[in-house]
Amino acid sequence: MVEQPVEEPKVEGFAAALVRQMRAEDTHGHWERKSDAQLLEPFILDKEKRRAIPIIGDPDPDTLWRLQLFYGALCLEIERLTRRMVQPMMKMSHEGFGRMVLIGGRLVVLNKQLRDVHRFGFDSIEKLNAEAEKMLGQAVGMIEKFPEVADY
Amino acid sequence: MVEQPVEEPKVEGFAAALVRQMRAEDTHGHWERKSDAQLLEPFILDKEKRRAIPIIGDPDPDTLWRLQLFYGALCLEIERLTRRMVQPMMKMSHEGFGRMVLIGGRLVVLNKQLRDVHRFGFDSIEKLNAEAEKMLGQAVGMIEKFPEVADY
């Protein structure tokens, strides 16, 4: 009898773009044998996992790296949709509080107050996609509203 | 015979605003006995001092602090002139290369590529003022050009 592989959720939408970005950074091929869902696993924090993390804490380097991957992939998606170069800038103040801005030309296309960065994550891949879609919509909307600033 | 005090250059313009900002941070009064010109001294790198610093190097914490003081004071001056809150965000990449943006609302009022941050400084107080005035003019110009983005 052939062993059935475990059915994994199909990774689509922004999550697929995020995975592409992660694999692009994997220059040594460490993750070649990992599935898309496995790569996304650290981004998913369900209620139980979240509860296991202290309420106040400093973000560790892996979490900061995931945050940068997420917003970096968001920039690439905004670029794909609007044909404008967009770059992230982050300011961390203390204990996981900070600010992330995505800048295109002279326009802040997305402005995000960060809090609880040490608990950065999403309930599910669907929630990750929904959150990203919302932010993409806001960013594209800003560029459509102020194209001359984005092109400045 | 009374000893004559050494004549010090009068600190005016943006340099005076920078000194006010430094004294505001001096909550313990360490610098009460220092003159304005003495406080500004680390910002002044004449040709000789500059030559003494290696061409390539990582910026030390004091230099980064002076960079932040300078751009922080610039933000306050932009606020004074335009009645808009402006905040700095910095990204350092490597060996003193990076980017500084001053953001008001959704507008990048000033965008500055940083290089040789480890040698941050000005030939003289006059040069410091001239450089700051130029940047203030650019920032105020951007806000006048795109007020609805600065107020967004």
Side-chain angles (χ1 to χ4, degrees):
Chain A
M1 205 174 116
V2 181
E3 201 182 334
Q4 287 294 109
V6 178
E7 187 80 30
E8 282 205 330
K10 192 156 160 38
V11 171
E12 295 173 307
F14 177 77
L18 180 55
V19 166
R20 276 197 300 277
Q21 193 50 25
M22 291 179 80
R23 295 206 186 274
E25 288 201 13
D26 182 30
T27 46
H28 295 287
H30 290 309
W31 297 333
E32 269 174 17
R33 287 154 173 270
K34 284 201 179 189
S35 71
D36 292 355
Q38 279 172 328
L39 281 184
L40 288 175
E41 208 237 58
F43 286 89
I44 309 306
L45 279 187
D46 57 24
K47 282 209 181 74
E48 204 179 330
K49 274 194 192 169
R50 193 179 296 272
R51 257 201 301 268
I53 302 174
I55 290 174
I56 291 174
D58 283 312
D60 62 86
D62 282 356
T63 308
L64 285 174
W65 176 70
R66 280 196 298 276
L67 194 77
Q68 279 162 348
L69 269 174
F70 180 85
Y71 284 97
L74 214 52
C75 285
L76 288 178
E77 285 300 287
I78 300 167
E79 286 185 23
R80 196 176 56 77
L81 293 167
T82 67
R83 303 274 156 212
R84 263 114 173 161
M85 235 185 82
V86 177
Q87 289 192 320
M89 283 183 86
M90 183 172 69
K91 185 178 203 161
M92 290 296 301
S93 43
H94 60 93
E95 286 177 342
F97 282 77
R99 184 184 185 186
M100 175 73 82
V101 292
L102 309 189
I103 296 174
R106 288 299 196 94
L107 184 65
V108 176
V109 303
L110 192 82
N111 181 50
K112 194 93 185 149
Q113 300 299 327
L114 303 174
R115 41 184 303 190
D116 296 336
V117 167
H118 67 297
R119 300 201 284 178
F120 174 67
F122 303 88
D123 285 341
S124 63
I125 291 182
E126 290 70 30
K127 282 277 170 65
L128 182 153
N129 273 341
E131 188 66 28
E133 286 298 330
K134 205 180 87 189
M135 290 196 269
L136 278 175
Q138 290 170 353
V140 172
M142 279 302 282
I143 292 172
E144 283 169 356
K145 198 174 166 75
F146 302 114
E148 73 278 34
V149 186
D151 289 335
Y152 193 87
Chain B
M1 203 174 114
V2 182
E3 204 182 330
Q4 287 294 110
V6 178
E7 188 79 33
E8 283 203 330
K10 191 154 160 39
V11 172
E12 296 173 306
F14 177 76
L18 181 55
V19 166
R20 275 197 301 278
Q21 193 50 25
M22 293 179 79
R23 296 207 186 274
E25 288 202 13
D26 181 29
T27 44
H28 295 289
H30 291 308
W31 297 334
E32 268 174 17
R33 287 152 173 270
K34 285 202 179 187
S35 71
D36 291 355
Q38 280 173 326
L39 281 185
L40 289 174
E41 210 236 57
F43 286 89
I44 309 306
L45 279 186
D46 56 24
K47 283 209 179 76
E48 205 178 329
K49 273 194 191 168
R50 192 178 295 270
R51 258 201 301 268
I53 302 173
I55 288 175
I56 291 173
D58 282 312
D60 62 86
D62 282 356
T63 307
L64 286 173
W65 177 68
R66 280 196 297 277
L67 193 78
Q68 280 162 347
L69 268 173
F70 181 85
Y71 284 97
L74 214 53
C75 285
L76 288 177
E77 285 299 287
I78 300 167
E79 285 184 26
R80 197 177 54 77
L81 292 167
T82 67
R83 303 276 155 209
R84 262 114 172 161
M85 236 184 80
V86 177
Q87 288 194 321
M89 283 183 86
M90 183 171 69
K91 184 178 202 161
M92 288 298 300
S93 41
H94 60 95
E95 287 178 343
F97 282 76
R99 183 184 187 188
M100 175 73 80
V101 293
L102 308 188
I103 296 174
R106 287 299 196 95
L107 184 65
V108 176
V109 303
L110 193 80
N111 181 49
K112 194 92 185 149
Q113 300 298 327
L114 302 174
R115 41 184 301 188
D116 296 335
V117 166
H118 67 297
R119 301 201 286 177
F120 174 67
F122 304 88
D123 285 340
S124 63
I125 291 182
E126 290 72 30
K127 283 276 172 63
L128 182 153
N129 274 341
E131 188 67 27
E133 286 298 330
K134 204 180 87 188
M135 289 195 270
L136 278 174
Q138 289 171 354
V140 172
M142 279 301 283
I143 292 172
E144 283 170 353
K145 198 173 166 77
F146 301 115
E148 72 279 33
V149 186
D151 289 336
Y152 194 86

